[in-house]
Amino acid sequence: MGSTDPADLPQDRPLIRPHVREEPSLRTTPRASSPRRYLMCPPTHFSVTYSINPWMDPTKPVDLPLALAQWEDLRDRYRALGHTVDLLDPDPALPDMVYAANGATVVDGRVLGAKFAHPERAAEADAHLSWFRGNGWAEDAVRVPEHVNEGEGDFAVTDSWILAGRGFRSSPLSHDEAQEFFGRPVIGLELVDPRYYHLDTALCVLDDAHDEVMYYPGAFSPGSRAVLARLFPDALIATEADAAALGLNAVSDGLHVLLPQAAVGLFEPLRDRGFDPIGMDLGELLKGGGSVKCCTQELRG
Ligand code: ARG
Protein backbone atom coordinates (compact mmCIF):
# COMPACT_ATOMS: atom_id res chain seq x y z
CA MET A 1 0.00 0.00 0.00
CA GLY A 2 1.35 3.39 -0.96
CA SER A 3 2.02 6.10 1.60
CA THR A 4 -0.60 8.84 2.07
CA ASP A 5 1.88 11.19 3.69
CA PRO A 6 1.96 14.38 1.52
CA ALA A 7 5.70 14.56 2.16
CA ASP A 8 6.10 11.40 0.06
CA LEU A 9 4.34 12.87 -2.99
CA PRO A 10 6.44 14.15 -5.89
CA GLN A 11 7.63 17.64 -4.97
CA ASP A 12 7.41 19.15 -8.44
CA ARG A 13 3.60 19.15 -8.49
CA PRO A 14 1.75 20.95 -5.75
CA LEU A 15 -1.35 19.22 -4.45
CA ILE A 16 -3.53 22.22 -5.18
CA ARG A 17 -2.82 24.37 -8.18
CA PRO A 18 -2.32 27.90 -6.95
CA HIS A 19 -4.44 30.60 -8.52
CA VAL A 20 -2.22 32.58 -10.82
CA ARG A 21 -3.34 36.17 -10.75
CA GLU A 22 -1.91 39.26 -12.29
CA GLU A 23 -0.25 41.32 -9.54
CA PRO A 24 -2.17 44.63 -9.64
CA SER A 25 1.04 46.62 -9.27
CA LEU A 26 2.70 44.72 -12.13
CA ARG A 27 -0.11 45.07 -14.63
CA THR A 28 0.98 45.90 -18.13
CA THR A 29 -2.40 46.67 -19.76
CA PRO A 30 -2.85 50.41 -19.69
CA ARG A 31 -5.97 51.82 -18.08
CA ALA A 32 -8.49 53.51 -20.34
CA SER A 33 -11.31 55.90 -19.56
CA SER A 34 -14.66 55.57 -21.26
CA PRO A 35 -17.00 58.53 -21.70
CA ARG A 36 -19.74 58.67 -19.11
CA ARG A 37 -23.02 60.46 -18.67
CA TYR A 38 -23.74 61.82 -15.21
CA LEU A 39 -26.72 63.47 -13.56
CA MET A 40 -25.97 66.11 -10.93
CA CYS A 41 -28.01 68.62 -8.94
CA PRO A 42 -26.49 71.93 -7.82
CA PRO A 43 -26.45 72.55 -4.04
CA THR A 44 -28.38 75.82 -4.47
CA HIS A 45 -30.54 75.00 -1.44
CA PHE A 46 -28.12 72.76 0.42
CA SER A 47 -28.23 72.92 4.22
CA VAL A 48 -28.05 70.61 7.20
CA THR A 49 -31.34 71.16 8.99
CA TYR A 50 -31.97 67.58 10.12
CA SER A 51 -29.74 64.64 10.97
CA ILE A 52 -30.26 61.26 9.30
CA ASN A 53 -26.66 60.07 9.41
CA PRO A 54 -23.81 60.54 11.92
CA TRP A 55 -22.06 63.11 9.71
CA MET A 56 -24.94 65.58 9.90
CA ASP A 57 -24.82 68.13 12.71
CA PRO A 58 -27.49 70.83 12.23
CA THR A 59 -25.65 73.12 14.68
CA LYS A 60 -22.62 73.31 12.36
CA PRO A 61 -22.96 76.11 9.83
CA VAL A 62 -22.64 75.39 6.11
CA ASP A 63 -20.84 77.85 3.83
CA LEU A 64 -23.24 77.79 0.89
CA PRO A 65 -21.15 79.77 -1.63
CA LEU A 66 -18.22 77.46 -0.85
CA ALA A 67 -20.42 74.37 -1.25
CA LEU A 68 -21.50 75.68 -4.66
CA ALA A 69 -17.94 76.41 -5.74
CA GLN A 70 -16.78 72.93 -4.66
CA TRP A 71 -19.66 71.30 -6.50
CA GLU A 72 -19.00 73.39 -9.65
CA ASP A 73 -15.40 72.23 -9.53
CA LEU A 74 -16.55 68.63 -9.63
CA ARG A 75 -19.00 69.27 -12.47
CA ASP A 76 -16.37 71.15 -14.49
CA ARG A 77 -13.81 68.43 -13.87
CA TYR A 78 -16.14 65.78 -15.32
CA ARG A 79 -16.74 67.92 -18.37
CA ALA A 80 -13.03 68.62 -18.83
CA LEU A 81 -12.45 64.86 -18.80
CA GLY A 82 -14.90 64.50 -21.68
CA HIS A 83 -17.95 63.33 -19.75
CA THR A 84 -21.49 64.60 -20.16
CA VAL A 85 -23.17 66.16 -17.15
CA ASP A 86 -26.94 66.61 -17.12
CA LEU A 87 -28.52 68.78 -14.48
CA LEU A 88 -31.52 68.31 -12.26
CA ASP A 89 -33.36 71.39 -10.98
CA PRO A 90 -32.85 71.85 -7.23
CA ASP A 91 -35.95 72.18 -5.06
CA PRO A 92 -35.79 74.68 -2.15
CA ALA A 93 -37.70 72.25 0.08
CA LEU A 94 -35.15 69.45 -0.42
CA PRO A 95 -31.78 70.38 1.11
CA ASP A 96 -30.19 66.94 0.42
CA MET A 97 -31.00 66.97 -3.28
CA VAL A 98 -27.38 67.68 -4.17
CA TYR A 99 -26.72 63.98 -3.42
CA ALA A 100 -28.08 63.00 -6.82
CA ALA A 101 -26.70 59.46 -6.65
CA ASN A 102 -29.58 58.52 -4.37
CA GLY A 103 -32.37 59.42 -6.79
CA ALA A 104 -32.32 56.38 -9.11
CA THR A 105 -30.20 53.59 -10.57
CA VAL A 106 -29.73 53.41 -14.32
CA VAL A 107 -28.38 50.26 -15.97
CA ASP A 108 -28.66 49.35 -19.67
CA GLY A 109 -30.84 52.41 -20.24
CA ARG A 110 -33.40 51.21 -17.66
CA VAL A 111 -34.25 53.29 -14.64
CA LEU A 112 -35.13 51.96 -11.22
CA GLY A 113 -36.49 54.90 -9.28
CA ALA A 114 -35.68 55.45 -5.61
CA LYS A 115 -37.85 55.17 -2.53
CA PHE A 116 -36.21 56.94 0.40
CA ALA A 117 -35.96 55.53 3.91
CA HIS A 118 -36.45 58.93 5.58
CA PRO A 119 -39.49 61.17 5.01
CA GLU A 120 -37.21 64.25 4.76
CA ARG A 121 -35.94 63.01 1.39
CA ALA A 122 -39.05 61.21 0.10
CA ALA A 123 -40.02 63.88 -2.46
CA GLU A 124 -36.65 63.65 -4.22
CA ALA A 125 -37.75 60.37 -5.79
CA ASP A 126 -40.48 62.04 -7.87
CA ALA A 127 -38.16 64.83 -8.97
CA HIS A 128 -35.84 62.21 -10.43
CA LEU A 129 -38.65 60.23 -12.06
CA SER A 130 -39.99 63.38 -13.74
CA TRP A 131 -36.51 64.20 -14.97
CA PHE A 132 -36.19 60.82 -16.69
CA ARG A 133 -39.68 61.06 -18.19
CA GLY A 134 -38.94 64.54 -19.48
CA ASN A 135 -35.57 63.63 -20.92
CA GLY A 136 -36.30 60.87 -23.37
CA TRP A 137 -36.69 57.75 -21.24
CA ALA A 138 -39.63 55.62 -22.38
CA GLU A 139 -42.30 54.95 -19.79
CA ASP A 140 -41.63 51.19 -19.86
CA ALA A 141 -37.93 51.78 -19.17
CA VAL A 142 -38.72 53.48 -15.89
CA ARG A 143 -39.83 51.57 -12.80
CA VAL A 144 -41.44 53.19 -9.77
CA PRO A 145 -40.03 50.99 -7.00
CA GLU A 146 -42.04 48.92 -4.61
CA HIS A 147 -39.34 48.62 -1.95
CA VAL A 148 -37.10 51.14 -0.23
CA ASN A 149 -33.88 51.74 -2.15
CA GLU A 150 -31.67 54.82 -2.19
CA GLY A 151 -30.43 54.49 -5.75
CA GLU A 152 -26.74 54.38 -6.34
CA GLY A 153 -26.15 55.11 -2.68
CA ASP A 154 -26.70 51.37 -2.24
CA PHE A 155 -26.36 49.92 -5.75
CA ALA A 156 -22.94 49.65 -7.39
CA VAL A 157 -22.62 48.23 -10.88
CA THR A 158 -19.80 46.07 -12.25
CA ASP A 159 -19.75 43.98 -15.38
CA SER A 160 -20.74 40.77 -13.61
CA TRP A 161 -22.88 41.96 -10.71
CA ILE A 162 -24.89 44.67 -9.09
CA LEU A 163 -23.60 45.02 -5.54
CA ALA A 164 -26.33 46.09 -3.17
CA GLY A 165 -26.02 47.54 0.33
CA ARG A 166 -28.53 47.02 3.12
CA GLY A 167 -28.60 47.50 6.86
CA PHE A 168 -29.29 51.22 7.14
CA ARG A 169 -31.25 52.48 4.15
CA SER A 170 -32.17 50.18 1.27
CA SER A 171 -34.41 47.23 2.06
CA PRO A 172 -33.12 43.73 1.25
CA LEU A 173 -36.38 43.34 -0.72
CA SER A 174 -35.14 46.00 -3.13
CA HIS A 175 -32.28 43.71 -4.07
CA ASP A 176 -34.65 41.13 -5.56
CA GLU A 177 -36.60 43.91 -7.19
CA ALA A 178 -33.43 45.24 -8.85
CA GLN A 179 -32.36 41.77 -9.96
CA GLU A 180 -35.72 41.13 -11.60
CA PHE A 181 -35.88 44.55 -13.22
CA PHE A 182 -32.32 44.73 -14.54
CA GLY A 183 -31.85 41.00 -15.16
CA ARG A 184 -28.44 41.08 -13.57
CA PRO A 185 -27.25 39.14 -10.53
CA VAL A 186 -27.54 41.21 -7.39
CA ILE A 187 -25.18 40.53 -4.49
CA GLY A 188 -26.52 41.72 -1.14
CA LEU A 189 -23.97 43.22 1.27
CA GLU A 190 -24.71 44.00 4.91
CA LEU A 191 -23.45 47.36 6.23
CA VAL A 192 -22.81 47.43 9.98
CA ASP A 193 -21.16 50.78 10.81
CA PRO A 194 -23.52 53.81 10.87
CA ARG A 195 -20.79 56.10 9.47
CA TYR A 196 -20.94 53.98 6.31
CA TYR A 197 -24.69 53.96 5.97
CA HIS A 198 -24.71 53.68 2.17
CA LEU A 199 -22.71 51.18 0.13
CA ASP A 200 -21.06 54.05 -1.78
CA THR A 201 -19.45 55.30 1.43
CA ALA A 202 -17.60 51.99 1.85
CA LEU A 203 -17.01 50.63 -1.65
CA CYS A 204 -16.14 52.11 -5.01
CA VAL A 205 -16.09 50.46 -8.44
CA LEU A 206 -12.74 51.32 -10.03
CA ASP A 207 -13.02 49.41 -13.28
CA ASP A 208 -16.59 48.44 -14.07
CA ALA A 209 -15.62 46.48 -17.17
CA HIS A 210 -13.30 44.19 -15.20
CA ASP A 211 -15.01 43.90 -11.80
CA GLU A 212 -12.35 45.87 -9.93
CA VAL A 213 -13.24 47.64 -6.71
CA MET A 214 -11.81 49.25 -3.59
CA TYR A 215 -13.53 48.95 -0.22
CA TYR A 216 -13.23 49.21 3.53
CA PRO A 217 -13.88 45.80 5.12
CA GLY A 218 -14.74 47.28 8.54
CA ALA A 219 -17.99 48.66 7.13
CA PHE A 220 -19.35 45.17 6.38
CA SER A 221 -20.63 42.20 8.37
CA PRO A 222 -18.26 39.20 8.57
CA GLY A 223 -20.31 37.27 6.01
CA SER A 224 -20.34 40.15 3.55
CA ARG A 225 -16.61 40.63 4.03
CA ALA A 226 -16.11 37.01 3.07
CA VAL A 227 -18.31 37.48 -0.01
CA LEU A 228 -16.29 40.54 -1.06
CA ALA A 229 -13.00 38.70 -0.52
CA ARG A 230 -14.24 35.86 -2.70
CA LEU A 231 -15.59 38.06 -5.51
CA PHE A 232 -12.74 40.58 -5.45
CA PRO A 233 -9.55 38.87 -4.23
CA ASP A 234 -7.43 41.63 -5.78
CA ALA A 235 -9.44 44.57 -4.45
CA LEU A 236 -7.71 47.65 -3.15
CA ILE A 237 -8.35 47.55 0.58
CA ALA A 238 -8.78 50.98 2.17
CA THR A 239 -7.56 51.83 5.64
CA GLU A 240 -9.90 53.06 8.33
CA ALA A 241 -8.39 56.59 8.04
CA ASP A 242 -9.07 56.81 4.30
CA ALA A 243 -12.56 55.40 4.71
CA ALA A 244 -13.25 57.93 7.49
CA ALA A 245 -12.28 60.73 5.08
CA LEU A 246 -15.02 59.28 2.82
CA GLY A 247 -12.24 58.33 0.39
CA LEU A 248 -14.34 55.49 -1.02
CA ASN A 249 -17.07 57.89 -2.06
CA ALA A 250 -15.29 58.20 -5.38
CA VAL A 251 -16.10 58.05 -9.09
CA SER A 252 -13.97 56.26 -11.66
CA ASP A 253 -14.23 56.39 -15.44
CA GLY A 254 -11.84 53.48 -15.79
CA LEU A 255 -8.75 55.69 -15.65
CA HIS A 256 -9.43 58.83 -13.64
CA VAL A 257 -10.58 58.35 -10.08
CA LEU A 258 -12.10 61.47 -8.55
CA LEU A 259 -11.98 61.15 -4.78
CA PRO A 260 -11.94 63.29 -1.63
CA GLN A 261 -8.47 64.78 -1.40
CA ALA A 262 -8.27 64.10 2.35
CA ALA A 263 -8.05 60.36 1.66
CA VAL A 264 -4.30 60.71 1.22
CA GLY A 265 -3.50 57.01 1.64
CA LEU A 266 -5.42 55.99 -1.47
CA PHE A 267 -3.47 57.98 -4.05
CA GLU A 268 -0.36 55.84 -4.22
CA PRO A 269 -2.10 52.46 -4.34
CA LEU A 270 -4.37 53.83 -7.08
CA ARG A 271 -1.36 55.03 -9.08
CA ASP A 272 0.35 51.66 -8.56
CA ARG A 273 -2.63 50.06 -10.25
CA GLY A 274 -2.41 52.42 -13.21
CA PHE A 275 -5.22 54.78 -12.23
CA ASP A 276 -4.99 58.55 -12.27
CA PRO A 277 -6.36 59.74 -8.91
CA ILE A 278 -7.73 63.30 -8.81
CA GLY A 279 -8.27 64.80 -5.36
CA MET A 280 -11.39 66.93 -4.91
CA ASP A 281 -12.38 69.17 -2.02
CA LEU A 282 -16.04 68.73 -1.22
CA GLY A 283 -15.61 69.66 2.43
CA GLU A 284 -18.91 71.53 2.72
CA LEU A 285 -20.87 68.61 1.29
CA LEU A 286 -19.16 66.26 3.71
CA LYS A 287 -21.22 68.02 6.40
CA GLY A 288 -24.28 66.29 4.94
CA GLY A 289 -22.49 62.95 4.87
CA GLY A 290 -21.57 62.82 1.21
CA SER A 291 -18.80 63.51 -1.25
CA VAL A 292 -17.88 62.90 -4.89
CA LYS A 293 -19.96 59.80 -5.58
CA CYS A 294 -22.99 60.96 -3.63
CA CYS A 295 -23.18 64.01 -5.90
CA THR A 296 -22.98 61.92 -9.06
CA GLN A 297 -25.54 59.57 -10.56
CA GLU A 298 -24.28 57.62 -13.56
CA LEU A 299 -26.69 57.22 -16.47
CA ARG A 300 -25.65 53.92 -18.05
CA GLY A 301 -26.92 53.54 -21.60
N1 ARG B 1 -27.62 63.59 3.91
C1 ARG B 1 -27.79 62.58 2.93
C2 ARG B 1 -28.47 61.36 3.55
O1 ARG B 1 -28.20 61.06 4.67
C3 ARG B 1 -26.48 62.20 2.33
C4 ARG B 1 -26.59 61.23 1.20
C5 ARG B 1 -25.27 60.83 0.65
N2 ARG B 1 -25.41 60.13 -0.55
C6 ARG B 1 -24.79 58.99 -0.85
N3 ARG B 1 -24.90 58.53 -2.06
N4 ARG B 1 -24.14 58.29 0.05
O2 ARG B 1 -29.26 60.71 2.94
Side-chain angles (χ1 to χ4, degrees):
M1 221 171 113
S3 160
T4 50
D5 185 343
D8 294 340
L9 289 167
Q11 291 305 298
D12 57 336
R13 255 193 42 213
L15 281 176
I16 300 167
R17 255 185 64 231
H19 258 101
V20 181
R21 291 189 177 274
E22 194 184 3
E23 265 296 324
S25 52
L26 300 179
R27 68 173 277 136
T28 43
T29 352
R31 299 284 177 186
S33 69
S34 55
R36 311 283 167 142
R37 184 172 176 196
Y38 298 127
L39 180 64
M40 296 179 74
C41 178
T44 319
H45 311 291
F46 173 62
S47 63
V48 180
T49 51
Y50 51 81
S51 179
I52 54 172
N53 72 54
W55 303 81
M56 300 174 84
D57 177 356
T59 64
K60 255 202 214 153
V62 167
D63 181 336
L64 193 54
L66 183 57
L68 258 165
Q70 292 173 338
W71 177 90
E72 283 166 1
D73 238 27
L74 179 64
R75 178 203 58 197
D76 294 349
R77 185 63 79 134
Y78 286 137
R79 288 180 172 159
L81 292 170
H83 304 305
T84 304
V85 179
D86 286 286
L87 296 175
L88 185 63
D89 275 342
D91 180 327
L94 300 168
D96 266 339
M97 216 172 153
V98 61
Y99 305 112
N102 301 131
T105 305
V106 185
V107 182
D108 303 323
R110 289 164 65 74
V111 180
L112 177 62
K115 184 169 174 179
F116 286 82
H118 296 285
E120 292 90 339
R121 298 196 66 187
E124 291 181 44
D126 273 344
H128 280 257
L129 287 175
S130 329
W131 186 87
F132 285 103
R133 291 184 178 123
N135 283 274
W137 269 263
E139 198 49 51
D140 63 354
V142 178
R143 179 179 168 90
V144 180
E146 202 173 311
H147 301 290
V148 170
N149 87 73
E150 296 202 348
E152 287 198 314
D154 279 322
F155 288 127
V157 183
T158 75
D159 189 53
S160 304
W161 306 288
I162 295 178
L163 308 174
R166 59 171 185 240
F168 295 100
R169 300 289 179 91
S170 299
S171 155
L173 297 172
S174 74
H175 299 180
D176 288 347
E177 186 176 8
Q179 176 162 291
E180 202 52 40
F181 180 65
F182 291 123
R184 290 193 181 211
V186 172
I187 308 282
L189 297 167
E190 186 79 16
L191 296 161
V192 294
D193 180 332
R195 285 175 302 167
Y196 310 109
Y197 56 95
H198 274 144
L199 181 65
D200 73 359
T201 61
L203 179 145
C204 163
V205 178
L206 292 172
D207 182 344
D208 51 4
H210 300 98
D211 295 333
E212 194 172 345
V213 303
M214 58 176 177
Y215 67 94
Y216 171 55
F220 297 92
S221 69
S224 295
R225 255 183 258 167
V227 168
L228 286 167
R230 181 170 282 263
L231 293 183
F232 307 106
D234 298 327
L236 196 173
I237 300 297
T239 62
E240 144 102 274
D242 291 322
L246 270 200
L248 296 162
N249 198 245
V251 169
S252 174
D253 63 14
L255 168 63
H256 312 99
V257 181
L258 285 73
L259 77 166
Q261 63 183 18
V264 289
L266 286 173
F267 286 73
E268 205 184 306
L270 284 169
R271 277 191 207 106
D272 283 348
R273 284 168 185 252
F275 292 105
D276 182 1
I278 300 173
M280 303 299 303
D281 180 7
L282 288 172
E284 288 311 295
L285 295 164
L286 197 64
K287 294 175 180 170
S291 190
V292 176
K293 173 60 204 170
C294 297
C295 294
T296 314
Q297 184 187 133
E298 184 166 347
L299 309 176
R300 298 176 190 79

